[in-house]
Amino acid sequence: MPVVRGKNIEPLFTAEQIAERNKVLAQQIASGPTKDLLVIAILKGSFIFAADLLRALHDTGLAPEVEFITLSSYGAGTTSQGVRIVKDIDSDVRDRDVLLVDDILESGRTLRFAKELLYERGARHVSLAVLLDKSVKRQEELEADYVGFECPDYFVVGYGMDVAYAFRELPFVGVVTGDADE
Protein backbone atom coordinates (compact mmCIF):
# COMPACT_ATOMS: atom_id res chain seq x y z
CA MET A 1 0.00 0.00 0.00
CA PRO A 2 1.49 3.39 -0.95
CA VAL A 3 2.28 5.82 1.83
CA VAL A 4 1.85 9.43 0.71
CA ARG A 5 2.55 12.32 3.08
CA GLY A 6 1.97 10.19 6.15
CA LYS A 7 -1.26 8.63 4.89
CA ASN A 8 -1.97 5.10 3.72
CA ILE A 9 -3.69 5.29 0.38
CA GLU A 10 -5.09 2.09 -1.00
CA PRO A 11 -5.42 2.13 -4.81
CA LEU A 12 -9.00 1.64 -5.98
CA PHE A 13 -8.34 2.14 -9.70
CA THR A 14 -4.76 1.95 -10.97
CA ALA A 15 -3.16 4.28 -13.50
CA GLU A 16 -3.18 1.40 -16.00
CA GLN A 17 -6.88 0.67 -15.47
CA ILE A 18 -7.71 4.36 -15.91
CA ALA A 19 -5.64 4.66 -19.10
CA GLU A 20 -7.38 1.64 -20.65
CA ARG A 21 -10.80 2.90 -19.64
CA ASN A 22 -10.08 6.35 -21.13
CA LYS A 23 -9.40 4.69 -24.51
CA VAL A 24 -12.75 2.89 -24.34
CA LEU A 25 -14.59 6.05 -23.30
CA ALA A 26 -12.99 8.01 -26.15
CA GLN A 27 -14.20 5.44 -28.69
CA GLN A 28 -17.72 5.60 -27.22
CA ILE A 29 -17.71 9.41 -27.26
CA ALA A 30 -16.42 9.50 -30.86
CA SER A 31 -19.42 7.44 -31.97
CA GLY A 32 -21.89 9.79 -30.22
CA PRO A 33 -23.02 13.35 -30.98
CA THR A 34 -19.87 15.26 -31.99
CA LYS A 35 -21.07 18.04 -34.33
CA ASP A 36 -18.78 21.05 -33.67
CA LEU A 37 -17.86 19.36 -30.38
CA LEU A 38 -17.04 21.50 -27.36
CA VAL A 39 -15.55 19.73 -24.34
CA ILE A 40 -16.12 21.55 -21.05
CA ALA A 41 -14.16 20.33 -18.05
CA ILE A 42 -15.55 21.17 -14.63
CA LEU A 43 -12.72 22.37 -12.43
CA LYS A 44 -10.94 21.56 -10.29
CA GLY A 45 -11.22 17.82 -9.83
CA SER A 46 -11.62 16.81 -13.48
CA PHE A 47 -8.49 18.45 -14.88
CA ILE A 48 -6.33 15.31 -15.12
CA PHE A 49 -9.18 13.10 -16.35
CA ALA A 50 -10.16 15.74 -18.92
CA ALA A 51 -6.58 16.05 -20.21
CA ASP A 52 -6.14 12.28 -20.59
CA LEU A 53 -9.60 11.88 -22.14
CA LEU A 54 -8.87 14.67 -24.64
CA ARG A 55 -5.64 12.95 -25.69
CA ALA A 56 -7.57 9.69 -26.13
CA LEU A 57 -10.20 11.57 -28.18
CA HIS A 58 -7.40 12.94 -30.38
CA ASP A 59 -6.38 9.33 -31.11
CA THR A 60 -9.91 8.71 -32.48
CA GLY A 61 -9.55 11.61 -34.91
CA LEU A 62 -11.60 14.14 -32.95
CA ALA A 63 -10.19 17.60 -32.33
CA PRO A 64 -12.75 19.32 -30.10
CA GLU A 65 -12.56 22.83 -28.74
CA VAL A 66 -11.88 22.81 -24.98
CA GLU A 67 -13.21 25.09 -22.25
CA PHE A 68 -13.22 25.10 -18.46
CA ILE A 69 -15.91 26.06 -16.00
CA THR A 70 -15.65 26.34 -12.22
CA LEU A 71 -18.81 25.69 -10.24
CA SER A 72 -19.39 25.85 -6.51
CA SER A 73 -22.13 24.41 -4.35
CA TYR A 74 -23.44 26.66 -1.64
CA GLY A 75 -25.81 26.38 1.26
CA ALA A 76 -26.12 26.36 5.01
CA GLY A 77 -23.60 24.19 6.82
CA THR A 78 -22.88 20.98 4.95
CA THR A 79 -26.16 20.96 3.03
CA SER A 80 -25.93 22.15 -0.57
CA GLN A 81 -28.85 24.30 -1.65
CA GLY A 82 -27.62 25.40 -5.04
CA VAL A 83 -24.79 25.83 -7.49
CA ARG A 84 -23.13 29.04 -8.62
CA ILE A 85 -20.74 29.81 -11.44
CA VAL A 86 -17.30 30.86 -10.19
CA LYS A 87 -15.64 30.98 -13.63
CA ASP A 88 -17.70 30.72 -16.79
CA ILE A 89 -16.77 29.55 -20.28
CA ASP A 90 -16.04 32.02 -23.07
CA SER A 91 -17.43 30.02 -26.02
CA ASP A 92 -20.91 30.18 -27.50
CA VAL A 93 -22.58 26.77 -27.20
CA ARG A 94 -25.52 27.54 -29.50
CA ASP A 95 -26.21 24.64 -31.93
CA ARG A 96 -23.14 22.70 -30.74
CA ASP A 97 -22.70 19.29 -29.20
CA VAL A 98 -21.18 19.66 -25.75
CA LEU A 99 -19.38 17.07 -23.65
CA LEU A 100 -19.29 17.97 -19.95
CA VAL A 101 -16.41 16.24 -18.17
CA ASP A 102 -16.28 15.81 -14.40
CA ASP A 103 -14.33 13.68 -11.98
CA ILE A 104 -17.22 12.17 -10.04
CA LEU A 105 -21.00 12.06 -10.24
CA GLU A 106 -22.42 11.87 -6.72
CA SER A 107 -25.55 13.84 -5.79
CA GLY A 108 -26.03 15.03 -9.36
CA ARG A 109 -26.73 18.65 -8.42
CA THR A 110 -23.67 20.23 -10.02
CA LEU A 111 -23.84 18.29 -13.27
CA ARG A 112 -27.59 18.77 -13.55
CA PHE A 113 -27.10 22.53 -13.08
CA ALA A 114 -24.37 22.61 -15.74
CA LYS A 115 -26.34 20.51 -18.21
CA GLU A 116 -29.48 22.63 -17.86
CA LEU A 117 -27.42 25.83 -18.16
CA LEU A 118 -25.90 24.68 -21.46
CA TYR A 119 -29.30 23.72 -22.86
CA GLU A 120 -30.66 27.13 -21.81
CA ARG A 121 -27.78 28.70 -23.74
CA GLY A 122 -28.77 26.79 -26.87
CA ALA A 123 -26.58 23.68 -26.95
CA ARG A 124 -27.77 21.15 -29.53
CA HIS A 125 -26.86 18.18 -27.33
CA VAL A 126 -25.15 17.84 -23.92
CA SER A 127 -23.46 14.58 -22.92
CA LEU A 128 -21.89 13.81 -19.55
CA ALA A 129 -18.59 11.97 -19.09
CA VAL A 130 -17.44 11.15 -15.57
CA LEU A 131 -14.50 9.17 -14.34
CA LEU A 132 -16.44 7.85 -11.34
CA ASP A 133 -20.14 7.28 -10.78
CA LYS A 134 -21.08 7.04 -7.11
CA SER A 135 -24.75 6.25 -7.73
CA VAL A 136 -25.42 5.40 -4.07
CA LYS A 137 -25.15 9.17 -3.34
CA ARG A 138 -27.51 10.31 -6.13
CA GLN A 139 -30.11 12.89 -5.12
CA GLU A 140 -31.08 14.09 -8.60
CA GLU A 141 -32.53 12.18 -11.55
CA LEU A 142 -29.36 12.20 -13.63
CA GLU A 143 -27.18 9.60 -15.31
CA ALA A 144 -23.87 10.07 -17.09
CA ASP A 145 -23.64 9.08 -20.74
CA TYR A 146 -20.05 7.88 -20.35
CA VAL A 147 -18.75 6.39 -17.10
CA GLY A 148 -15.21 5.31 -16.35
CA PHE A 149 -15.94 3.26 -13.24
CA GLU A 150 -18.71 2.65 -10.74
CA CYS A 151 -17.38 3.91 -7.42
CA PRO A 152 -18.17 2.31 -4.08
CA ASP A 153 -19.17 4.64 -1.25
CA TYR A 154 -15.61 5.67 -0.30
CA PHE A 155 -14.01 9.08 -0.11
CA VAL A 156 -11.53 8.94 -2.99
CA VAL A 157 -8.42 10.96 -3.83
CA GLY A 158 -5.91 11.12 -6.65
CA TYR A 159 -6.10 11.61 -10.39
CA GLY A 160 -7.25 15.20 -9.81
CA MET A 161 -9.38 14.62 -6.72
CA ASP A 162 -8.21 15.94 -3.37
CA VAL A 163 -8.72 16.09 0.34
CA ALA A 164 -7.76 19.45 1.86
CA TYR A 165 -5.92 20.35 -1.37
CA ALA A 166 -3.70 17.25 -1.17
CA PHE A 167 -3.24 14.15 -3.35
CA ARG A 168 -4.52 15.57 -6.69
CA GLU A 169 -1.21 14.58 -8.32
CA LEU A 170 -1.50 10.84 -7.68
CA PRO A 171 -1.62 8.82 -10.93
CA PHE A 172 -4.33 6.53 -9.54
CA VAL A 173 -7.63 6.83 -7.67
CA GLY A 174 -7.26 5.72 -4.08
CA VAL A 175 -8.90 5.57 -0.71
CA VAL A 176 -7.25 7.11 2.35
CA THR A 177 -7.27 4.29 4.87
CA GLY A 178 -5.57 5.93 7.82
CA ASP A 179 -2.31 7.28 9.13
CA ALA A 180 0.89 5.51 8.25
CA ASP A 181 2.92 3.94 10.98
CA GLU A 182 5.89 6.20 11.70
Side-chain angles (χ1 to χ4, degrees):
M1 177 177 326
V3 176
V4 182
R5 281 180 262 171
K7 298 285 187 189
N8 288 323
I9 300 179
E10 183 176 327
L12 185 59
F13 302 109
T14 67
E16 295 78 18
Q17 289 173 306
I18 295 168
E20 283 303 311
R21 191 66 187 136
N22 281 340
K23 291 176 190 175
V24 171
L25 290 175
Q27 291 293 329
Q28 292 173 348
I29 292 164
S31 67
T34 58
K35 178 185 173 210
D36 194 17
L37 183 63
L38 173 63
V39 174
I40 302 174
I42 299 177
L43 296 177
K44 296 178 183 172
S46 74
F47 79 102
I48 293 176
F49 172 51
D52 287 349
L53 186 60
L54 283 162
R55 285 190 286 266
L57 284 172
H58 174 80
D59 292 342
T60 71
L62 284 177
E65 186 180 335
V66 182
E67 280 273 11
F68 303 91
I69 190 167
T70 305
L71 303 172
S72 176
S73 297
Y74 62 89
T78 59
T79 305
S80 175
Q81 297 173 343
V83 178
R84 68 181 177 88
I85 300 169
V86 176
K87 188 226 174 271
D88 207 344
I89 62 172
D90 297 320
S91 298
D92 185 2
V93 299
R94 188 163 307 286
D95 298 322
R96 297 182 75 177
D97 289 328
V98 176
L99 176 67
L100 271 173
V101 178
D102 206 1
D103 54 350
I104 188 165
L105 172 55
E106 288 185 83
S107 74
R109 283 191 196 104
T110 301
L111 278 170
R112 184 181 183 104
F113 172 86
K115 186 174 184 175
E116 289 174 356
L117 175 71
L118 295 169
Y119 274 124
E120 287 170 11
R121 292 178 176 178
R124 188 174 85 86
H125 187 269
V126 180
S127 299
L128 305 176
V130 297
L131 177 65
L132 303 175
D133 185 358
K134 195 183 289 188
S135 57
V136 297
K137 295 285 190 177
R138 194 85 75 250
Q139 296 175 4
E140 298 285 335
E141 289 286 327
L142 184 71
E143 296 299 323
D145 301 281
Y146 311 102
V147 175
F149 303 95
E150 291 294 323
C151 185
D153 192 14
Y154 298 128
F155 187 86
V156 292
V157 298
Y159 202 67
M161 295 170 279
D162 75 310
V163 58
Y165 306 106
F167 309 121
R168 287 190 195 277
E169 77 285 357
L170 297 177
F172 59 88
V173 173
V175 179
V176 178
T177 59
D179 292 331
D181 293 339
E182 299 288 337

